[in-house]
Amino acid sequence: MPVSPAAFSVSSAAAARIAEIVAQQGAQQAAQEGIALRVAVESGGCNGFQYSFRLDARRAPDDVVIEAGDATVIVDPVSMDLLRGAELQFVDKLMGAHFTVANPNAATSCGCGTSFSLA
């Protein structure tokens, strides 16, 4: 499913890290056609919703596919509704490295950056 660039974006740092992770999966698994980072919003976490990040080679017909540099990100349509206008980022700081989402739809978020609530 096509997605407008403003709907959900992927930072260059996140795209580079996704490409590195896929390459590190080894020649056999990384050679799988279509391996991508799936970003999802699930219920739970300390604020009501939490982000989920996992490698996935399977796609549903209604998944949103975002190409960013050498990386591919896939998002299911329900999660996409909660991610509109957001950006997937990769943060590498002294306390650790992780994916996070800068989400203008989130009213509050927790310190770990993986949980949020809506207004």
Side-chain angles (χ1 to χ4, degrees):
M1 172 182 291
V3 62
S4 72
F8 181 61
S9 60
V10 179
S11 73
S12 57
R17 184 62 183 136
I18 294 165
E20 288 175 15
I21 291 169
V22 170
Q24 289 173 357
Q25 294 301 304
Q28 183 180 15
Q29 187 176 0
Q32 281 184 340
E33 191 162 326
I35 195 163
L37 182 72
R38 179 173 291 279
V39 178
V41 176
E42 301 171 346
S43 62
C46 52
N47 280 303
F49 294 102
Q50 62 187 3
Y51 301 111
S52 168
F53 309 103
R54 65 182 163 85
L55 292 180
D56 196 348
R58 293 179 300 169
R59 300 208 177 117
D62 58 349
D63 277 343
V64 176
V65 178
I66 302 158
E67 300 292 338
D70 292 333
T72 303
V73 174
I74 49 180
V75 182
D76 66 89
V78 173
S79 295
M80 193 67 211
D81 287 341
L82 298 169
L83 293 170
R84 253 181 234 294
E87 180 182 55
L88 176 66
Q89 301 175 343
F90 180 73
V91 179
D92 190 359
K93 294 184 178 180
L94 183 61
M95 297 301 288
H98 62 278
F99 288 104
T100 187
V101 176
N103 191 342
N105 304 308
T108 60
S109 63
C110 67
C112 67
T114 61
S115 178
F116 69 101
S117 66
L118 299 173

